[in-house]
Amino acid sequence: MNDFTRWIDLEGAVNVRDLGGLATVDGGTTRFGRVYRSDNLQGLTGRDVERLVDELKLRHVVDLRSGPEVSLEGPGPLTRVPEVTIHHHTFFAEGGRYTDVDADTGGADGTIGGIDADKVLPWQRRAEADAAELRVTGFYYGYLRDRPDSVVAALRAMSADDGAAVVHCAAGKDRTGVVCALALEIAGATREAIVDDYVATGERIEGILARLRASSTYREDLDTRTADEHRPRREYIEQFLRVLDERFGGPLEWLAAQGWTAADSRALKSRLRD
């Protein structure tokens, strides 16, 4: 995997990369120039918009932020571009008041981001050293539990074949990480490649947090923890995928139970594969 070619450097976003170039189980790679992932797109400059729309042929934005986030941040630059369609599919189970930037903070009442740990984390009696992993995994599973409709709709929007798509949330780390992991699983990426893509956000975590702290929407959720505490870790997404394997037979089986079809898989796979 060549991370140098996957990163897209913009003036108004720092966690933008291509889902192309990732190894697949049949020995191939995912296709460049079809699906991108990103942090918040509110700060895009005119030059950024021109590059995305004219050069990279961006036509679909899959926005996973909550309703309050969108309202508080206001319309972003891409909402004013007629060639671009905005698909808003909130996952709703944000850990802070507005967002997922505090995803691994548990409540004093035993909840994790508003999720009942007893119901979501049947493995919670494991060693205390695993606590952070369990919190984040439980939070991620909460997206699937609370808004399976949004998960499926986001993946379908990423399958559109009339131009490139970008999926984003606030940091481009948790909600975006879960959807991209599922999309890559559908495309036949190896688990190692999926995990590598997830943790790549950590390379730019300081810049991501600096951008979010500049906004009152996110600042309060972020200020109590260090950059390293926000860093995505391999064991988080590995455990998330392992739970889907053990409880549902795998991500594809979970999706099928939510109405995802073989035709849906073919459409997304054709976007991400040669």
Side-chain angles (χ1 to χ4, degrees), residues 98 101 212-224:
Y98 309 126
V101 295
L212 292 174
R213 284 192 173 103
S215 167
S216 59
T217 304
Y218 304 109
R219 189 180 306 116
E220 184 178 337
D221 280 345
L222 291 166
D223 280 346
T224 60

Side-chain angles (χ1 to χ4, degrees), residues 147-165:
R147 292 304 302 263
D149 56 330
S150 286
V151 175
V152 170
L155 290 166
R156 285 176 175 154
M158 293 164 69
S159 305
D161 63 1
D162 58 338

Side-chain angles (χ1 to χ4, degrees), residues 25 76 78 104 118 128 187 204:
V25 294
L78 289 171
D104 57 353
D118 289 327
E128 182 64 26
R204 303 202 171 185

Side-chain angles (χ1 to χ4, degrees), residues 202-242:
E203 298 175 27
R204 303 202 171 185
I205 196 68
E206 289 83 3
I208 295 166
L209 297 177
R211 286 193 66 234
L212 292 174
R213 284 192 173 103
S215 167
S216 59
T217 304
Y218 304 109
R219 189 180 306 116
E220 184 178 337
D221 280 345
L222 291 166
D223 280 346
T224 60
R225 295 161 60 221
T226 67
D228 190 61
E229 290 177 284
H230 287 286
R231 197 177 304 276
R233 305 187 188 282
R234 302 182 68 87
E235 56 267 27
Y236 297 165
I237 200 69
E238 287 172 342
Q239 175 66 16
F240 170 73
L241 293 169
R242 188 159 52 245

Side-chain angles (χ1 to χ4, degrees), residues 22-243:
L22 298 168
T24 58
V25 294
D26 59 3
T29 57
T30 52
R31 182 184 292 185
F32 280 100
R34 298 305 179 91
V35 180
Y36 305 98
R37 56 178 294 171
S38 179
D39 51 339
N40 197 347
L41 299 173
Q42 293 295 121
L44 294 181
T45 66
R47 186 156 50 183
D48 291 337
V49 172
E50 183 177 346
R51 183 179 181 196
L52 289 169
V53 176
D54 296 339
E55 181 181 335
L56 301 180
K57 306 302 179 186
L58 180 67
R59 295 296 181 267
H60 296 273
V61 173
V62 184
D63 185 350
L64 305 180
R65 295 175 300 162
S66 68
E69 283 174 274
V70 174
S71 297
L72 288 164
E73 291 287 280
L78 289 171
T79 66
R80 299 187 289 272
V81 178
E83 297 96 325
V84 174
T85 300
I86 309 295
H87 307 264
H88 181 222
H89 300 296
T90 177
F91 282 9
F92 194 70
E94 291 83 8
R97 287 188 300 162
Y98 309 126
T99 179
D100 64 349
V101 295
D102 207 21
D104 57 353
T105 297
D109 60 356
T111 63
I112 297 166
I115 299 167
D116 187 335
D118 289 327
K119 295 178 180 177
V120 176
L121 304 179
W123 58 86
Q124 70 172 204
R125 297 186 185 278
R126 288 167 46 184
E128 182 64 26
D130 293 335
E133 175 186 329
L134 299 181
R135 285 197 295 269
V136 176
T137 303
F139 199 88
Y140 289 178
Y141 183 74
Y143 300 151
L144 277 59
R145 186 201 66 183
D146 295 340
R147 292 304 302 263
D149 56 330
S150 286
V151 175
V152 170
L155 290 166
R156 285 176 175 154
M158 293 164 69
S159 305
D161 63 1
D162 58 338
V166 61
V167 57
H168 79 96
C169 51
K173 174 171 69 80
D174 296 308
R175 290 167 287 188
T176 299
V178 166
V179 167
C180 288
L182 294 174
L184 290 169
E185 179 85 11
I186 293 165
T190 66
R191 283 290 173 89
E192 182 179 4
I194 292 171
V195 173
D196 285 345
D197 176 67
Y198 172 80
V199 299
T201 288
E203 298 175 27
R204 303 202 171 185
I205 196 68
E206 289 83 3
I208 295 166
L209 297 177
R211 286 193 66 234
L212 292 174
R213 284 192 173 103
S215 167
S216 59
T217 304
Y218 304 109
R219 189 180 306 116
E220 184 178 337
D221 280 345
L222 291 166
D223 280 346
T224 60
R225 295 161 60 221
T226 67
D228 190 61
E229 290 177 284
H230 287 286
R231 197 177 304 276
R233 305 187 188 282
R234 302 182 68 87
E235 56 267 27
Y236 297 165
I237 200 69
E238 287 172 342
Q239 175 66 16
F240 170 73
L241 293 169
R242 188 159 52 245
V243 169

